[in-house]
Amino acid sequence: QDIIVVAHGQANDPFWSVVKNGVDKAAEHTGANVDFRSPETFDMVQMSQLIDAAVNQEPDGLVVSIPDADALAPSIKRAVEAGIPVISMNSGSDVSKELGALLHVGQDEYTAGKAAGEKLASMGGTVGICVNQEVGNVALDLRCQGFSDGFGGSVDVIPTQNDPAEVEAKVKAALESNPDIDTVMGLGASLVGEPAIRAVASVGRTGEVNVATFDLSASFLESVSKGEAAFAIDQQQFLQGYLPVSFLALNASYGLIPGGNVPSGPNLITADKASQVVELSAEGIR
Amino acid sequence: MTQDTTFHHGDPQREAKPIIQMKNIEKHFGNIIALAGVSFDVRPGECHCLLGDNGAGKSTFIKTMSGVHQPTKGEITIDGKPMNFTSPRDAMEAGIATVFQDLAMIPLMSVTRNFFMGREPVKGRRPFRRMDVEKMNETAVEEMRKMGINLRGPDQAVGTLSGGERQTVAIARAVYFGARVLILDEPTSALGVRQTSNVLATIDRVRKQGVGVVFISHNVRHALAVGDRFTVLNRGQTLGTATRGDITPEELQDLMAGGQELAQLEGSLEGTV
Amino acid sequence: MTQDTTFHHGDPQREAKPIIQMKNIEKHFGNIIALAGVSFDVRPGECHCLLGDNGAGKSTFIKTMSGVHQPTKGEITIDGKPMNFTSPRDAMEAGIATVFQDLAMIPLMSVTRNFFMGREPVKGRRPFRRMDVEKMNETAVEEMRKMGINLRGPDQAVGTLSGGERQTVAIARAVYFGARVLILDEPTSALGVRQTSNVLATIDRVRKQGVGVVFISHNVRHALAVGDRFTVLNRGQTLGTATRGDITPEELQDLMAGGQELAQLEGSLEGTV
Amino acid sequence: MANMAQTVQDERLKQEGLGARLMKRPELGAIAGVILVTAFFLITADSAMFTLSGIMNFMTPAAQLGILAIGAAMLMIGGEFDLSIGSMVAFAGLIFGASVVTFGLPLIVAIPLTMAVAAGLGAMNGMIVLRTSLPSFIVTLAFLFVLRGASLVGLKLASGGSTQLRGVRDAVQDDWLAPFFSGDAFGPIFVALAEIGLIDTFKNGTPKVPGIPVEILWFIALSLVATYVLLRTPQGNWVFASGGDRNAAANSGVPVRKVKISLFMVTAICAALVAIITVMDAGSTDARRGFMKEFEAIIAAVIGGCLLTGGYGSAIGAFFGAIIFGMVTIGLTYTDFDQDWFQIFLGGMLLIAVLFNNYIRKRVTGER
Amino acid sequence: MANMAQTVQDERLKQEGLGARLMKRPELGAIAGVILVTAFFLITADSAMFTLSGIMNFMTPAAQLGILAIGAAMLMIGGEFDLSIGSMVAFAGLIFGASVVTFGLPLIVAIPLTMAVAAGLGAMNGMIVLRTSLPSFIVTLAFLFVLRGASLVGLKLASGGSTQLRGVRDAVQDDWLAPFFSGDAFGPIFVALAEIGLIDTFKNGTPKVPGIPVEILWFIALSLVATYVLLRTPQGNWVFASGGDRNAAANSGVPVRKVKISLFMVTAICAALVAIITVMDAGSTDARRGFMKEFEAIIAAVIGGCLLTGGYGSAIGAFFGAIIFGMVTIGLTYTDFDQDWFQIFLGGMLLIAVLFNNYIRKRVTGER
Ligand SMILES: Nc1ncnc2c1ncn2[C@@H]1O[C@H](COP(=O)(O)OP(=O)(O)OP(=O)(O)O)[C@@H](O)[C@H]1O
Ligand SMILES: Nc1ncnc2c1ncn2[C@@H]1O[C@H](COP(=O)(O)OP(=O)(O)OP(=O)(O)O)[C@@H](O)[C@H]1O
Ligand SMILES: O[C@@H]1[C@@H](O)[C@H](O)OC[C@H]1O
Ligand SMILES: [Mg+2]
Ligand SMILES: [Mg+2]
């Protein structure tokens, strides 16, 4: 059995490396021959070409993430027309059915952001910033929007590039120029969450400013368990890699398929759970 | 020292109006004063030599004349009309062709492409108008041969030519685009015996066709062989202009060395420079 | 045409062993044959002139001698021992200093920095060993003055120097690093009257100190003024070597023009080249 | 002609085979790289890679990159860089997307408009570079940021708050100009070929290759035009001259300013063309389109033999450079290598392809 | 000296003020840019930006970038590029992280080891460039990919599956060498200053600025050393010569190969230093560290006046270039502008700073 996974995130992205670990694990368990592929950067045009390349190989199953339905639709439809079973994961829950995918494994970004916002508001937050390290990725925009809606208070979006030192300096700059800020929402754990904790510490407000982030990293989880950060939103992306591959393998062997979407998250990891998750995160499973 | 050549120096056209006239040209580079007020003119059919010590400002001056530098002060007139060249292309359009001391060649490009750079002949109709490559190659090889250089092929990169071959390309190019004024900045410095005779003969030929020639040289003999008038520059200023016959070679040589006493070796080198 | 100069040509040291000997050197560039078997040697205290038409292969040959090119075929011996220069630095260490025709200067760098490039004098102890900038500046200005050029300042970029000023930097540098062999590729081509006398006098001086000089020129007079032996190249091959006195200037001039008949203008230019 | 024959008989020339003469051209050296990469994938990759549909598949990204690379190569030969072409893809995409979706303009207006805006920005780049004599690297870098930022702001305006503008496909699908800029050309021929069994079909009978993606045709056409211009027109000569030595060119009468500004405009128009094609194909545009494409374009040009210092290179070289880059990036997915190793292979393959190309050229021409 | 006094009296020289003489230096021109950017933020930004803590805040990323930029500037002056320094940061981070965490080596071993590995890779880059005479752009680009990929593969090995390697802080915290490479220097002095009220304190009495981040000290020290080497040592002269004209330099006896290889090694060591400092500060490393830093370093060097074509530039210029870049990236966060405009602003400020620097220099020196 040949199964191909085409994702928009790279194997060296901490988040996607976990997905890939899930894929690999499923390959091991099912005995299927699985390939994980992604464009070099967030590039919808190239991603659609990768899907085309996969379709050319006529695999027994195809797993895709769908951050831009318009751009990927023709390629996905082509796969479906070619009779290849498709499962979507991570992003694209809203369009998955319409494009002909069998089901979707993932979390709804807006809802997750909103849940986080509500939680942070309930922790007393009134003025927040949402730090976006991947400006232009619509899924991330949705999170900030959800966060802003759920949070209720005033929310500024801070765009940054891919450098932890820069993120730290910018978060610090924001905290210094607006001392009312009491909440920092990051969209990635190691790139934003960790430096944000350092920034908060350097202005001497550890504990006063709530830091939360999407996704996990072992270091961030340690901070959560120590109480330096509020929580992390886990979408259990290991499942986003593991489940679709197993489903497709089963489908190829026995024609089995679950009847609906699988919500792999959101799952708030707060201080009580954090310490148990640290080790798994360090192994690339969470 | 030989001063009488067999060139027939025609009618020096002393009365003819100058083609180009430069008045009180100054040129400063930052705090460096390269030209401190130089006047000069060229009449049709004459060869006007510009002489002077190293660093006197000769190249700077002719670069001003050919549109490379804009003068800091001073006036340029062509046929009596004030002119303001903003680029060498302007000067070319006014009929001035120049061989620069640094030759203005592109080492990576072939002889032919360098030869015609900026003035490529075309054939065919738009939009299929294209360079006439055969004609270009033939012309380049032929013009070089006239100057005494047999090229291996017209597509050799200029950067791999020998010093004299390269200088010859620049001269042949300027002569070919036969202009109203031909400026030659030390054109024979890298040339062999044969090539030098050819260039001097060429100067004589174009002069007879009515072109005004500006000739820069450190070689008194070359200057005397073809020059009708001689202007000497020293440290950015004119030491004066002399007419052929009004000045002895010895006087000229002294002037060219900047009017200073020659080094004590002068005696010992008598006649060698 | 003046052939007897007042230089005292010392003892030509005909019997001295050559410092450097080149045997049957060939050099090909791709399909271009630049040297087709040239032999040449330099003895201490002599000035050996290398003459020839443009493109004859003179520069290519001396580049092989100074480690820039590796010969395609042939042998180089120094003091009788076979040598294989892989870089110009090797040749320098063997005592060979060269003025290349293209001068090997960095236009963006100052006169001083170019002068000492590769051989900077230092002062102070490690790790604080540093360039002796004052000494460098003074030396550069002084050596240039000796050659007849008064610099405005030692920090002017070489790219903004006049052609002759630049050539003088290259010559002064090679002479200053007084080596066993001094190679000069058309060193006087851009020089003024005074500067040329100085260079010729300098050649004479270093020769008397026992340095072997290789002198390339297109100027028969310059060659005759300082040369002890004359080797003529033509189209990549040696036409032969003559000793001072064994050859008349006219013969030499014919040889230099590649042994071909001069253009019909020769007569008319008699004595001017 | 007679002259040439004669000079070839010069005793100072060795005989030289046709191969050697061909290989001296910078563009033909790059073919060696293509052959090597092809050989590598023939051995290691899934056979699907070299089916007709596999070839179209890697040629599509190669063509999109290649259109940029040809512009970049001409500009590099002319001695300048444009780091803003990646951002220009995004910005032109925004202009085009907004024209057709937000303002409902027909393609016959929207396409020239997009190109004009791009050309204007290119000219602005060029004018700043020439006026200030700052390096083009730094000026166009500023535009890299400015245009990327402007795309973000503009997209949010045009789409009402999102960084993605959708609906382009619907807006243009009935436009008569659309087939020239999107989809596949020669569709009917391919269907016919599939029917007679010359082309593989999917289970449902549609041909696996529905036609030749238009970008491939644009790519080939542009390469030919650029090559013709560079080698056969005065303007091409000026490009080499301006890049080889700006002062020498100007002193010889080449209108260096005009040449350089035109090249900046051409490069920007190439970016606009890629933007139009990809936006129409994708049906949407977003603020990250074209990200890093400026570097990939320069890479392709350099693989194809352009010198970063200007004055040397070829459009055909850039053509093959883009194909090498496209083959390597897509090709690795046809192999069984683990994705973790992807970049190691990508880097290794690039280096080997370029080394090989270089080695072959040197052997053949006898350069040292 | 006497000579110099004399030549200044040359009638062919105009008098020239001290200002003009200073501004001729490429490095000092860049100061104009810094002043302009500072003036801009003094007006538009929150006053917190120019408090002591605000200054440390933007100087920290500036210093990390600056250390790379100084290496890149020296290499650029020497006529080469290194596009692999960003990936080198990740790879050296991996080597360093694995040394201290996985193998438990003390810093006195781990740091030299990391630097040696980096230097070795730098030398390899250099050797390939010189041996093949391919452009360094393309060779180091291959290393950009290879090292980035190797970091990923290595990290997964070292961490057992994740792309992040943690625990560096715990592993090094008691090492006597740690204070030289992480945290803040001069802590006690700052505490003392805080006690006498010269530095703001938090409510609990600790100073708001606990010291000077060590990277800032490294940055300053390296700038000084690099400037000294470039301007006052033979080796510095060789760097300019090698970059100005490789052939001319070699023909004059400069050991061009050695110079270039050393420069590649220095650049790689700078990257390793940044890796060590940032990994110790963050306590972890991951596969994306240093992403795009190669370009930012080149940008900083160019803002500071280095020519891409080599042979011209200065380390102090790169110093100010990095500060300008750092101030502009962080500064906007202190202002009230809509953050979506960040990139437009970044591009605009960069352009204005460089234009201003250029304008001032030209005015003062009278260049046309
Ligand atoms: N761009 C420049 N910047 C500064 N100084 C310059 C520049 N160009 C020329 N100079 C100076 O101006 C003076 C005149 O130079 P120019 O090249 O005109 O001399 P020249 O008479 O042609 O000398 P040569 O006979 O050596 O060619 C020289 O001293 C030179 O150093
Ligand atoms: N790198 C190269 N590639 C190809 N051909 C070359 C190269 N270098 C030199 N040549 C050719 O070799 C021949 C000899 O050149 P060389 O420079 O040695 O001549 P030369 O005797 O110094 O002439 P000149 O008196 O003009 O300086 C020339 O015809 C030249 O075109
Ligand atoms: O889509 C991905 C998102 O789910 C994760 O949180 O961050 C990286 C993104 O690529
Ligand atoms: Mg001159
Ligand atoms: Mg020569």
Side-chain angles (χ1 to χ4, degrees), chain D residues 102 152-162:
Chain D
T102 317
L152 176 67
V153 174
L155 274 169
K156 286 204 165 174
L157 274 178
S159 68
S162 157

Side-chain angles (χ1 to χ4, degrees), chain A residues 37 53 56 58 68 70 135 141, chain D residues 53 57 163 208 282 284 333:
Chain A
R37 298 166 187 178
N56 283 338
E58 298 186 66
D68 179 345
D70 274 23
V135 182
D141 292 346
Chain D
S53 89
N57 186 221
T163 57
K208 277 198 175 175
S284 69
T333 68

Side-chain angles (χ1 to χ4, degrees), chain B residues 230-244:
Chain B
F230 307 91
T231 294
V232 180
L233 281 193
N234 182 36
R235 294 173 81 84
Q237 288 176 309
T238 331
L239 288 189
T241 302
T243 308
R244 177 176 197 76

Side-chain angles (χ1 to χ4, degrees), chain A residues 95-177:
Chain A
V95 289
S96 162
K97 265 268 128 50
E98 191 184 313
L99 294 180
L102 299 175
L103 60 97
H104 181 84
V105 180
Q107 91 184 340
D108 185 72
E109 304 290 11
Y110 178 82
T111 325
K114 194 161 176 193
E118 282 160 1
K119 173 86 181 173
L120 286 164
S122 79
M123 294 170 78
T126 51
V127 180
I129 54 174
C130 183
V131 185
N132 184 347
Q133 78 283 9
E134 224 178 81
V135 182
N137 179 344
V138 180
L140 301 202
D141 292 346
L142 283 176
R143 291 177 181 176
C144 279
Q145 222 177 312
F147 166 67
S148 170
D149 292 353
F151 190 63
S154 116
V155 171
D156 263 344
V157 179
I158 308 265
T160 71
Q161 284 154 22
N162 262 303
D163 175 12
E166 184 202 324
V167 174
E168 181 179 337
K170 283 197 157 178
V171 172
K172 189 174 170 200
L175 292 172
E176 282 189 334
S177 47

Side-chain angles (χ1 to χ4, degrees), chain C residues 114-260:
Chain C
N114 266 290
F115 194 100
F116 288 96
M117 175 162 63
R119 283 164 297 201
E120 298 78 1
V122 288
K123 67 178 179 192
R125 299 223 194 110
R126 289 173 185 279
F128 299 106
R129 182 167 289 180
R130 58 199 183 278
M131 292 194 293
D132 191 346
V133 178
E134 281 103 58
K135 184 176 153 203
M136 287 166 66
N137 280 338
E138 270 173 49
T139 314
V141 169
E142 182 51 31
E143 295 295 316
M144 290 293 286
R145 191 193 311 279
K146 280 193 203 156
M147 295 285 163
I149 299 278
N150 283 313
L151 283 182
R152 292 193 183 77
D155 51 359
Q156 188 172 356
V158 158
T160 64
L161 289 181
S162 83
E165 288 168 343
R166 202 175 314 176
Q167 193 165 37
T168 308
V169 179
I171 301 170
R173 169 172 77 175
V175 171
Y176 180 78
F177 289 102
R180 298 186 58 200
V181 177
L182 181 63
I183 303 177
L184 304 158
D185 192 353
E186 306 195 20
T188 54
S189 60
L191 295 192
V193 176
R194 237 157 13 98
Q195 290 78 5
T196 303
S197 341
N198 284 329
V199 168
L200 296 181
T202 305
I203 293 177
D204 187 44
R205 179 168 52 81
V206 301
R207 171 177 55 186
K208 288 194 180 121
Q209 290 159 7
V211 173
V213 179
V214 180
F215 179 50
I216 299 182
S217 179
H218 287 297
N219 191 314
V220 186
R221 280 187 187 73
H222 295 178
L224 283 169
V226 293
D228 297 305
R229 287 195 293 161
F230 308 91
T231 295
V232 179
L233 283 193
N234 182 37
R235 294 173 80 85
Q237 287 175 310
T238 332
L239 288 189
T241 301
T243 308
R244 175 174 199 77
D246 296 355
I247 188 169
T248 68
E250 289 71 25
E251 282 167 2
L252 197 61
Q253 173 147 338
D254 264 16
L255 279 172
M256 280 172 65
Q260 300 171 27

Side-chain angles (χ1 to χ4, degrees), chain A residues 11 20 36-38 40 42-43 45 49 52-53 56-58 68 70-71 74 78 81-82 135-136 138 141, chain D residues 46 53 57 61 64 152 163-164 166-167 169 202 204 208 282-284 288-289 293 329 333-334 338-340:
Chain A
K20 182 167 175 293
F36 179 96
R37 298 166 187 178
S38 54
E40 289 137 85
F42 182 89
D43 180 343
V45 175
Q49 287 149 358
D52 289 344
N56 283 338
Q57 292 169 63
E58 298 186 66
D68 179 345
D70 274 23
R78 187 160 161 267
E81 279 167 17
V135 182
V138 180
D141 292 346
Chain D
D46 189 296
S53 89
N57 186 221
Q64 290 170 3
L152 176 67
T163 57
Q164 213 175 57
R166 304 181 174 215
R169 202 173 298 119
F202 285 119
N204 65 1
K208 277 198 175 175
S284 69
R288 309 203 113 211
R289 286 291 157 82
K293 286 290 173 225
T329 43
T333 68
Y334 283 99
D338 189 285
Q339 180 76 12
D340 289 350

